[in-house]
Amino acid sequence: MYIYVPRNLAANPALLVAVHYCSGSASAFYNGYARDYVTAAEQYGYIIVFPESTHSQYSNCFDVWSPQALTRGGGSDPVGIMSMVSWTEANYNIDSSRIYVMGASSGAMMTNVLLAEYPDVFAAGTSFMGVPATCFATGSATNFWSSQCANGQISKTAQQWGDAARAMYPGYTGSYPRIQLWHGTVDSTLSYNNFAEAIKQWTNLHGIPATPVFTDSPQASWIRTRYGGSSAQPALEAISVQGAGHTIPAAGMVAYSIAFLGLNSSGGGSTTVPPAPTGLTATSGNASVSLSWAASPGASSYTVKRATMSGGPYTDVATEITATSYTNTGLTNGTTYYYVVSASNSAGNSPNSAQASATPASSGTSTGNLVVQYKAGDTNATDNQSRPHFNIKNNGTAPVNLSGLKLRYYFTKDGTADMSAWIDWAQIGSSNIQIAFGSHNGTNSDTYVELSFSAGAGSIAAGGQSGEIQLRMAKSDWSNLNESNDYSYDPTKTAFADWNRVVLYQNGVPVWGVQP
């Protein structure tokens, strides 16, 4: 057991249990996927417990497979984690109505198990890349991997999944915790099929229809559905991430989890109306405008309002947004749009922010401060490797954190073999760059490679640049590629030059480039 107690500890703090992934550790989770929870703990005063698996013979996965683990009070890791919760309650003035759990991969599987097995303890949880409770059951304490479940080959009715979870705590008749599910559509470690199966389980446990009552897309590649209610904290919220593999949470996602769980207050909820958001900016795109603003203290959600005349009247275009960014699409190029944003919590709505405006343009290239430069590291379009090199420039007057950026390069895969990729060299350190592939249907592209950056990559100073990033890609069977018809490829660029066929996202919002 590891525990994080913030310097700004609330008088009656909430408790978050943060459960790491297979092959992980408490320290790696603290510094990696869970880092944004740690930062927020300093603001909101909650405590975080980091369990660490000692199952080295099982790749440090948490036990979600044995009969002991899948029975309330039966032993193994769930009981160990519950003892950590009890110890923290006994040693700190924890608000017992605000105990939460989150996890990624193995930790997400444990999140589902804990919420089903100890529904009277936890108020809510967030599961990044998990499976339904009991899906990984092997009937053995030593057989720790269920290929059937991992590969998405186990399908049950909602009633069957619900009954399996209820059997973990027989006789329980109370309500079940709220849950937020996240899954990438191209996850090859824990199949995306498990996302739909988990939705079945939790709608059944909550006794709510399996048809969502609310659907939106808070970020370009996300589809969010809510079940049992359309508020910011429904019984079940499920977010599907298009093109993401076994690589989440990514930048910006934890903020949505914090708001869903209710960790963004120092007590049982804010008692005063939040101030108006500040720093609203509007960036033009092709038939779209991307907005971002600074977080309002105590806010649980935001409303974006739009007008076609300066000063209004304004019409709501998006409500209950839990991030500090939004992209308004379906607009008319050449028309100027005017925006304001207000913040909300249980006490009411803030005044509107200062107005910002933008005029969408058909070029699609952002008028923002970030620019992507590209050069072809290999001009042979028909060999078995592709070597695009990148450099990100910051033409603005403030530093930009690389951890909030994602870069996408679009190409045709030329066959069915899986793609592999490596960072041969990067000025910011190759270990600070993560690589993922996604499917795409566009001009001269059926695939994209996405680069994202860890906190260790640092920031790009005002007027500075990331330095060279050398990417290399190949097919798993090392067969030849044909880059000549790839959307983002340009063999004439043998020195770095601005290239709008590579797209850059900042906190999920496109800020440079034209997507095919």
Side-chain angles (χ1 to χ4, degrees), residues 223-432:
I223 298 176
R224 176 172 60 181
T225 51
R226 288 172 174 164
Y227 303 79
S230 60
S231 71
Q233 293 180 329
L236 168 60
E237 181 171 87
I239 300 98
S240 170
V241 187
Q242 180 65 38
H246 204 64
T247 56
I248 58 176
M253 294 181 181
V254 167
Y256 285 79
S257 169
I258 288 170
F260 174 84
L261 295 176
L263 286 167
N264 55 344
S265 66
S266 58
S270 299
T271 57
T272 59
V273 173
T278 59
L280 177 64
T281 61
T283 303
S284 301
N286 184 13
S288 67
V289 170
S290 298
L291 304 167
S292 64
W293 57 91
S296 294
S300 58
S301 65
Y302 300 91
T303 298
V304 174
K305 308 171 187 180
R306 184 186 70 206
T308 54
M309 295 176 57
S310 180
Y314 299 103
T315 301
D316 292 357
V317 295
T319 60
E320 295 185 350
I321 298 172
T322 52
T324 55
S325 61
Y326 177 77
T327 299
N328 189 199
T329 59
L331 303 178
T332 301
N333 288 332
T335 298
T336 300
Y337 295 90
Y338 302 88
Y339 295 89
V340 293
V341 177
S342 63
S344 303
N345 62 20
S346 59
N349 303 319
S350 77
N352 290 333
S353 67
Q355 180 178 274
S357 64
T359 305
S362 59
S363 67
T365 301
S366 165
T367 57
N369 296 317
L370 292 172
V371 174
V372 176
Q373 294 189 320
Y374 158 86
K375 73 175 181 181
D378 177 0
T379 58
N380 184 346
T382 57
D383 61 7
N384 64 0
Q385 297 185 67
S386 172
R387 301 173 187 266
H389 296 179
F390 309 105
N391 179 45
I392 305 171
K393 296 178 64 180
N394 176 13
N395 293 330
T397 58
V400 173
N401 289 328
L402 277 158
S403 61
L405 304 182
K406 288 186 177 181
L407 181 151
R408 288 185 180 178
Y409 177 93
Y410 295 85
F411 62 98
T412 55
K413 197 164 70 166
D414 305 313
T416 59
D418 291 337
M419 296 295 300
S420 298
W422 308 265
I423 300 297
D424 285 336
W425 185 82
Q427 185 172 323
I428 59 175
S430 58
S431 63
N432 293 315

Side-chain angles (χ1 to χ4, degrees), residues 115 167 209 277 377 481 515:
L115 294 181
L481 297 160
Q515 181 175 295

Side-chain angles (χ1 to χ4, degrees), residues 25-64:
S25 65
S27 175
F29 208 47
Y30 166 85
N31 288 298
Y33 281 148
R35 190 63 194 173
D36 287 348
Y37 292 102
V38 175
T39 301
E42 287 297 336
Q43 179 178 359
Y44 299 115
Y46 59 84
I47 290 175
I48 310 177
V49 163
F50 290 90
E52 181 169 280
S53 169
T54 57
H55 301 304
S56 58
Q57 72 275 39
Y58 305 133
S59 301
N60 277 16
C61 299
F62 285 94
D63 180 5
V64 293

Side-chain angles (χ1 to χ4, degrees), residues 9 14 24 73 90 94 151 239 244 282 328 345 383 440 497-498:
L9 181 64
I94 299 296
N151 295 333
I239 300 98
N328 189 199
N345 62 20
D383 61 7
H440 179 76
D498 296 357

